[in-house]
Amino acid sequence: MPDALWWLPSLVVFGAAALALGAGVVGFRRLGARRERAELGDGRALEVRAKGLIVEADNAVRDADREVEFAEAQFGPAVARDVRTALEAARGRLREAFLLQQRLDDAAPHTAAERRAWSSRIADLCESALRELHEADAALAGRRRAERGARDDVPALRVDAARLERRRTEAEAGLERLGTRFTPAALGVARAAGARAASALTGATSALDTAERQLAGTEPAADTLATAVDLLDRAGRDLAIVEGVELDLAAAQDDAATQAAALDADLVAARGERDAQEDADAQQALGTAIGAASAVLAARGDLAGDPFADRDRIAAVRDRLEVARAAARNAQGRLDGARGALGGAIAIAESQARVARAAIDRAGPRVGADARTRLAEAERQLVIARQEPDPVAALDAARRAAARANDAEALAAWDRSGDGR
């Protein structure tokens, strides 16, 4: 090949590479376009569904707008407020859905991902609006059903009120009968419940009268009937308290008698513990508790008309007596424990004192005043331990004697070695 054409093979190679690159770019672009067209086709079903939901939500908003006017006319603004709130929220979501749909309908091209995201958002907005409107409509429908059933409810509620009034009359008669046997304090809770029941029945009767007037006109009566039902329920609960007071009093009497018998047995045991008690303070405290408990038993006749107070007083004094008995047992336990340990403690102190005395004797004049003072104190504490009638105090003295004797021995050893000089 002539030297002047040396570049021709390179040109051919580079040209072929450029052609291959161009073909690849074109191929990739065609592939991307086909993929985009496929995704646009897949998203059309979602777009169609979103458009259908827009129509459904728009119709629901229009219907709800008319329903608000009907609800205000039928029940007043307060009841219609929930429907209006749901309507305004649905309108806001529908406006956003319309804006997104307008964006989808614009001539400007959009990617498949954008169209899919907008369509999905439209569907969510419309479904949320429809759900809120459906809930508000269901609540309003329930209110209308209650109003339609109100005419049937009033007679039944009148029957309930009359029945409760008869129960109240009988319960009041029962309270009057019990009042000849029991004090006003014993019947106080029941009388208060009876007064509440009477007030609730009066309120329920007034509410039923109002509901009948409302039903005769055009006013809604469901709320008034709900008030009447609540008052009748309260009256029933309070009447149950009044009707059960006789059984409660009988149970309190039985409980008080049982507690009194148990207290009598406790007093017998407590007197024995007091007489055997060696600790003067514990004996005095136990004696005071025994006196208070005995006084409560003696005064039971004064509380015969109030079994609740009788039961509670006996229970309280039994608790106080048990606390005093426990304290006395603890005090006696300390004395018994000290008495059991005293002999050994004295023996230890005596042995330690002998050891200390021997150490001082061996050291002779070299032992100073400190060691001799400790030994003298140990011997004095030993005398106290042997003569003290209180075992606890005697045990403490014996232990102090052992400690002082131990100190005396140590000081004597120190002086004997010459380190103390």
Side-chain angles (χ1 to χ4, degrees):
M1 179 181 295
D3 292 339
L5 298 178
W6 62 270
W7 49 269
L8 187 58
S10 299
L11 179 62
V12 172
V13 172
F14 284 119
L19 287 174
L21 180 61
V25 171
V26 171
F28 277 119
R29 286 181 177 176
R30 289 177 179 174
L31 180 61
R34 285 198 299 272
R35 184 180 296 111
E36 183 73 13
R37 285 194 297 273
E39 290 181 356
L40 288 171
D42 293 340
R44 285 195 184 94
L46 180 58
E47 293 181 22
V48 170
R49 178 171 175 271
K51 287 182 177 181
L53 286 171
I54 283 181
V55 173
E56 185 179 354
D58 188 43
N59 288 333
V61 166
R62 294 173 188 273
D63 292 341
D65 198 16
R66 291 189 293 270
E67 194 64 32
V68 168
E69 297 178 2
F70 295 148
E72 287 180 345
Q74 184 177 9
F75 303 114
V79 174
R81 187 178 298 115
D82 292 340
V83 183
R84 186 175 293 281
T85 300
L87 174 60
E88 294 304 321
R91 276 179 174 158
R93 289 179 171 81
L94 190 58
R95 281 195 295 270
E96 184 180 350
F98 278 137
L99 289 174
L100 291 172
Q101 185 60 48
Q102 183 61 47
R103 192 179 298 173
L104 286 170
D105 294 340
D106 285 344
H110 303 294
T111 65
E114 289 175 333
R115 298 185 70 86
R116 185 165 54 254
W118 294 340
S119 297
S120 179
R121 176 62 178 166
I122 290 171
D124 290 342
L125 289 168
C126 292
E127 287 173 345
S128 179
L130 287 168
R131 184 166 52 253
E132 287 187 346
L133 292 174
H134 175 73
E135 290 173 356
D137 184 65
L140 194 57
R143 183 59 180 259
R144 289 195 174 109
R145 285 193 299 273
E147 291 295 337
R148 287 195 296 271
R151 295 184 184 279
D152 297 331
D153 291 340
V154 171
L157 292 175
R158 289 284 190 190
V159 171
D160 289 343
R163 177 176 52 80
L164 289 171
E165 182 60 33
R166 288 192 298 272
R167 283 178 58 189
R168 189 193 68 79
T169 302
E170 294 172 0
E172 286 294 331
L175 280 180
E176 292 303 321
R177 176 174 49 81
L178 291 172
T180 62
R181 297 166 48 203
F182 300 103
T183 64
L187 301 176
V189 173
R191 290 195 183 281
R196 291 195 303 270
S199 177
L201 285 172
T202 300
T205 301
S206 177
L208 289 173
D209 293 340
T210 302
E212 286 185 336
R213 290 194 299 272
Q214 291 170 333
L215 290 170
T218 58
E219 295 181 68
D223 288 343
T224 308
L225 284 180
T227 300
V229 170
D230 181 60
L231 289 170
L232 291 175
D233 287 342
R234 293 185 197 176
R237 291 193 296 270
D238 285 326
L239 285 175
I241 296 174
V242 180
E243 292 164 342
V245 68
E246 189 167 8
L247 291 177
D248 292 340
L249 287 165
Q253 285 178 322
D254 292 342
D255 195 11
T258 301
Q259 293 268 11
L263 178 58
D264 193 45
D266 292 342
L267 283 171
V268 172
R271 291 188 184 101
E273 293 169 359
R274 178 199 58 191
D275 295 341
Q277 179 60 244
E278 298 178 59
D279 186 279
D281 293 337
Q283 187 180 52
Q284 181 180 359
L286 185 54
T288 301
I290 290 172
S294 300
V296 168
L297 279 183
R300 283 200 66 208
D302 299 335
L303 293 175
D306 191 347
F308 300 126
D310 188 23
R311 176 196 60 193
D312 294 343
R313 283 186 62 181
I314 294 174
V317 80
R318 281 194 71 196
D319 290 340
R320 290 195 293 271
L321 180 62
E322 182 54 36
V323 170
R325 291 178 65 190
R329 285 193 294 269
N330 289 336
Q332 188 62 44
R334 287 194 298 272
L335 290 174
D336 293 341
R339 187 177 291 111
L342 179 59
I346 290 176
I348 292 172
E350 289 174 342
S351 174
Q352 189 62 46
R354 286 194 298 271
V355 171
R357 193 179 300 110
I360 292 173
D361 290 343
R362 285 195 300 273
R366 286 180 292 177
V367 177
D370 290 342
R372 299 172 189 273
T373 301
R374 297 294 192 284
L375 178 59
E377 178 62 17
E379 292 172 341
R380 190 180 75 85
Q381 291 294 333
L382 263 174
V383 172
I384 293 174
R386 295 189 189 101
Q387 297 176 353
E388 173 62 50
D390 183 354
V392 175
L395 180 62
D396 290 340
R399 288 171 176 168
R400 286 194 297 272
R404 298 298 182 273
N406 186 62
D407 292 343
E409 179 194 3
L411 290 170
W414 176 268
D415 291 341
R416 183 181 179 184
S417 66
D419 293 335
R421 297 188 181 276

